[in-house]
Amino acid sequence: MTILPPHRLDLAGHRRRNGVVPWVAYHGEDGRDRLIDAVAAADLRGRGGAGFPTARKLRAARKPRSIVVANGCEGDPLSHKDAALLTLSPHLVLDGLQLAAHAIGAVETVLCVHQGSPVLPSVRAALAERDDRVPVRVEEVPRRYVASEETALVHHLTSGDARPLGKSPRPDERGVRGRPTLVDNVDTLAHLALVVLQGPQHYRAARADLVTVTGAVRRPGVVEVASGVSLAGVLAAAGGETEPVQAVLVGGYGGTWTSDFRSGLSGISAVYALPARACGLEYTAKVLAFLAAESARQCGPCMFGLPAIAADFAELLRGGPATDRLARRLPLLTGRGACAHPDGAARLAASALRVFDADVSAHSAGGRCRILESVA
């Protein structure tokens, strides 16, 4: 069974396709234990990029007066899988949200999407069809890259300020309004529902991932692939290459470049296929400029480090000697920010210098790489 239907499902259509949650099997405190055990047996992991075991998050947040936050903001420009889920199969997400709330004994749930998101009509129509045990509130979050970071959502829901809070305390210790909070990506919640609706053994055997594929492919968009598939398999699921591809950006704007198509997915489930006629350093420079502009501007690595490496890449494209500075600066960004935003930018930049090393040499020598020379 595929995760995404070909068209939007109302509640009746969702239940015909996916089934009805067997709430009686998970009644009471023992039922909460059985539900979390089923999630553990399915080896469900977060679909927001970190891949953390979902059962461990559920157990950590299982505390009095807890809250569940469903993250449907999808701040990375290369990712659209969450929007596809909330548009085509919103009830699968909402079933997962209710199951997560039941597992930890939550008394409140919040579904976060970006302000003015096109998924809002589908979400609101789905909520109007349901009579859920725990009320769901829809919250519109500012349309900024870091606003969808886990602690930024907690901060926004508490104070209206959508900036990351830093690495401590964890949301399950002190989250929204100081209460224990579980923050899960809507894709993760949809899979949680599938674990219950299909059973953990069947789910684990037939597990699939939603991936957004863009760039030089025949059918760009959200595709469904078997868990563990190679990048070559991901490109094939999107119809194959429209022209030769020299490298793939895996994991969105905070991901890594690779030219090994036998490797698998990492980070958020987004893949960009860079055509051979394009300059990878030029593309990376544009992404780094975007990441620098989208920072929360509350810690040194974001305020000063990201603009510095973006400027270094721009200088590298012009033929300036920026590689030595990049070698010094990139290690200083990792692990020092209030969130992982600088880490992602450093990871992207370092992978570009490695994968496009021949072009780096050409630019550093004061010339233009073979790509830019061909279009000059």
Side-chain angles (χ1 to χ4, degrees), residues 348-373:
L348 171 71
S351 69
L353 296 176
R354 182 178 63 254
V355 172
F356 307 115
D357 59 337
D359 294 334
V360 170
S361 298
H363 280 287
S364 299
R368 296 163 67 90
C369 69
R370 56 186 176 79
I371 304 298
L372 296 184
E373 284 287 359

Side-chain angles (χ1 to χ4, degrees), residues 39 62 107 247 310 324:
V39 173
R62 189 177 169 183
V107 296
D324 289 343

Side-chain angles (χ1 to χ4, degrees), residues 285-353:
K286 291 177 180 177
V287 173
L288 290 173
F290 170 86
L291 295 177
E294 287 291 310
S295 82
R297 295 176 175 83
Q298 65 177 352
C299 64
C302 271
M303 291 179 65
F304 308 111
L306 295 189
I309 65 170
D312 285 343
F313 258 76
E315 181 180 330
L316 178 59
L317 285 177
R318 295 192 298 268
T323 51
D324 289 343
R325 285 200 305 275
L326 283 165
R328 292 194 306 272
R329 285 172 169 163
L330 291 178
L332 299 178
L333 294 182
T334 304
R336 299 191 179 190
C339 67
H341 182 49
D343 300 56
R347 184 166 51 243
L348 171 71
S351 69
L353 296 176

